[in-house]
Amino acid sequence: TGEEVTTVSEGQQVICHPVMTCGTCRPCRQGEDMYCENVAFPGLTHDGGFAEYLGTNERAVIPLPDGVDPAEIAPHADAGITAYHAVKKAVAELNPGDTAVVIGVGGLGHIGVQCLDAMSAADIVALDLKESARELARELGARHALDPTDDVRSEIDALTDGTGAAQILDFVGADETTALGPDIAAAGGDHHVVGYGGHVHEPAQTLVDGEMAYRGTLVGRYTELQELVALVERREVDLRTSRYDLSEINAVAERLEHGDIEGRAVITP
Ligand SMILES: [Zn+2]
């Protein structure tokens, strides 16, 4: 640790918010870490990440509670915080009895289901092509899990007595999934776009008629990572991880590219 660091000491276990922020710009003052005007992102704008040591700043670290294993919680620094950030925005709009749809129960989606279950009394409906993912969703708190190749619109219609889903969390972000929004959203509902790769192709009138909105999601705030650590400590959120040694990094990256990694891969130096 540097000489001027006062809030943590050498050897202390921490989780890092993914970016280094300045603390003095207006977005920082508002707590919007991802909008920091002087942001630095280790691994993207700076070297670091897959190494024995990671250079970061004091503002980015969150001390871990006793009994929380750093390797177990590590994926929350990126995947978890992103899912949590989207869920927190959705939960602010969800009342008990509302329906929330989670599209894609993979690395981020399975965290999203658990956060929703812990933070709201909404009914969770998960969509995934894989039966194993649908089973996982039910295990983690989803009331229903549907195959997206079925007639999702009429199934959501039946489950909500024609009201539709108040909030949709799209962890896939493909053309097919963004197109579901207008079909299944309740009036005034939101379709949160977390995953990306596809496009949003909707007539402007669709958004006007149903007062629905597409909302983007980029990682999350430092304070949200603190809140997620609190959920993990309370055993509300459980992660599926597999561990690898730093020397295996290239092989792991290749397996990741081919979709051969179960849960989230954690590299231990
Ligand atoms: Zn800043």
Side-chain angles (χ1 to χ4, degrees), residues 90-252:
V91 164
E93 309 289 337
L94 282 171
N95 292 310
D98 284 349
T99 294
V101 168
V102 173
I103 305 174
V105 189
L108 271 72
H110 88 286
I111 301 169
V113 168
Q114 296 176 78
C115 292
L116 263 176
D117 189 40
M119 295 161 68
S120 85
D123 289 338
I124 303 167
V125 180
L127 297 184
D128 202 289
L129 288 165
K130 288 188 204 158
E131 171 53 31
S132 58
R134 295 196 293 270
E135 209 176 288
L136 177 64
R138 285 187 210 102
E139 226 174 88
L140 297 177
R143 179 171 273 202
H144 306 278
L146 308 176
D147 182 339
T149 60
D150 291 343
D151 184 355
V152 173
R153 182 183 192 151
S154 53
E155 295 207 39
I156 298 288
D157 216 44
L159 291 172
T160 61
D161 291 329
T163 307
Q167 297 288 304
I168 300 159
L169 291 142
D170 186 350
F171 291 100
V172 179
D175 288 16
E176 296 84 351
T177 60
T178 62
L180 277 174
D183 287 346
I184 63 173
D190 296 312
H191 186 124
H192 301 267
V193 181
V194 189
Y196 51 90
H199 296 82
V200 178
H201 302 279
E202 296 303 328
Q205 195 183 347
T206 303
L207 275 64
V208 172
D209 285 350
E211 278 210 343
M212 72 156 293
Y214 286 97
R215 299 176 68 180
T217 280
L218 178 66
V219 193
R221 298 171 169 206
Y222 174 92
T223 50
E224 289 172 332
L225 186 54
Q226 286 180 314
E227 292 156 19
L228 181 55
V229 169
L231 281 182
V232 172
E233 191 190 7
R234 283 155 184 75
R235 303 192 183 285
E236 296 281 2
V237 178
D238 186 32
L239 262 182
R240 307 288 154 122
T241 58
S242 44
R243 298 185 194 194
Y244 303 90
D245 190 78
L246 182 58
S247 62
E248 299 172 272
I249 181 65
N250 291 329
V252 173

Side-chain angles (χ1 to χ4, degrees), residues 21-29 33 35-39 59:
T21 55
C22 73
T24 52
C25 72
R26 183 168 165 79
C28 274
R29 305 268 187 198
D33 300 280
Y35 306 166
C36 172
E37 291 165 6
N38 305 297
V39 75
R59 281 180 55 80

